[in-house]
Amino acid sequence: MSNRSFSSSKKAQFLSKLPTSSVESSEIAKRCKFNFSYFVEDQLAGQSFADWNNGQGPSSLYGLLDKVRQFSREPLDYWNNEKVGKQNILEIYGAFPKTSKTEFSHPPSVPHDVQWARFRLAAKVRLIGFVLPKESHNMDNCNAKKVDYLLDCNTFYVVFLDKDHKFYKTEKP
């Protein structure tokens, strides 16, 4: 057998491909998450994934996934403070809008005490969903309710795709 050692360039190349962080030292905990388990596509004002299937604009699946990828790099609080023009990228409304302000209805599957919110994807294009109230993250709340998992207040639960800004109407018809 030959007693050859790696050349320094091969060694450096090999070492450069190894992970340099662990779960604890990475930024994984601060990055927001997206959950689509409450997604609803049967309301007339919203759209299905199939409706967003074509093209490369903001109301395409490509555009949506690209934005979700970008948004996932920072916590929700970051996006709630970032602006495009005068509007926050993430706006947390709180309660579901009054019927005079929306063309959507509150799905029965979505808990009544969540904080409704939206991500602004482009001019009129919105990703509608909810976040959990900050007090949900309290470990005592989880233990009192015998929850097996911590509730994550850094998750955006997607409920509707809204390419025409019909969730929280601000313009006069």
Side-chain angles (χ1 to χ4, degrees):
M1 245 198 233
S2 170
N3 194 7
R4 288 188 257 166
S5 64
F6 284 116
S7 70
S8 61
S9 66
K10 285 185 179 180
K11 181 179 175 182
Q13 185 180 14
F14 172 77
L15 291 175
S16 72
K17 294 180 182 178
L18 293 177
T20 58
S21 64
S22 66
V23 170
E24 281 187 21
S25 67
S26 71
E27 296 181 342
I28 197 167
K30 84 167 195 158
R31 295 176 183 221
C32 72
K33 278 90 40 208
F34 287 82
N35 182 312
F36 286 83
S37 65
Y38 288 92
F39 182 69
V40 173
E41 56 188 353
D42 64 354
Q43 293 197 20
L44 293 176
Q47 298 85 44
S48 69
F49 291 126
D51 295 329
W52 280 35
N53 200 23
N54 297 322
Q56 298 227 358
S59 59
S60 69
L61 283 181
Y62 171 82
L64 172 64
L65 290 175
D66 190 50
K67 287 288 190 176
V68 166
R69 179 182 58 86
Q70 290 173 35
F71 295 148
S72 297
R73 292 182 178 147
E74 300 291 341
L76 291 176
D77 286 341
Y78 174 86
W79 297 113
N80 195 32
N81 293 312
E82 279 297 297
K83 295 191 181 301
V84 172
K86 294 182 180 181
Q87 291 189 342
N88 289 356
I89 292 175
L90 171 64
E91 185 73 38
I92 299 176
Y93 299 124
F96 195 86
K98 296 177 183 179
T99 54
S100 63
K101 288 284 191 185
T102 188
E103 293 186 27
F104 290 87
S105 59
H106 190 292
S109 62
V110 175
H112 68 89
D113 52 352
V114 299
Q115 299 288 303
W116 283 89
R118 64 96 176 120
F119 268 98
R120 184 177 189 272
L121 304 180
K124 287 186 171 185
V125 184
R126 305 289 189 266
L127 186 62
I128 308 298
F130 63 88
V131 297
L132 299 179
K134 294 290 183 192
E135 58 272 9
S136 298
H137 194 64
N138 184 336
M139 186 65 170
D140 293 333
N141 286 342
C142 294
N143 290 335
K145 297 176 187 173
K146 300 198 187 290
V147 175
D148 291 334
Y149 304 97
L150 283 176
L151 300 174
D152 188 354
C153 295
N154 200 23
T155 298
F156 186 86
Y157 295 85
V158 178
V159 182
F160 304 118
L161 299 178
D162 181 11
K163 69 177 181 177
D164 299 312
H165 199 296
K166 293 182 177 182
F167 181 73
Y168 203 107
K169 299 185 289 185
T170 55
E171 298 173 359
K172 303 268 186 213

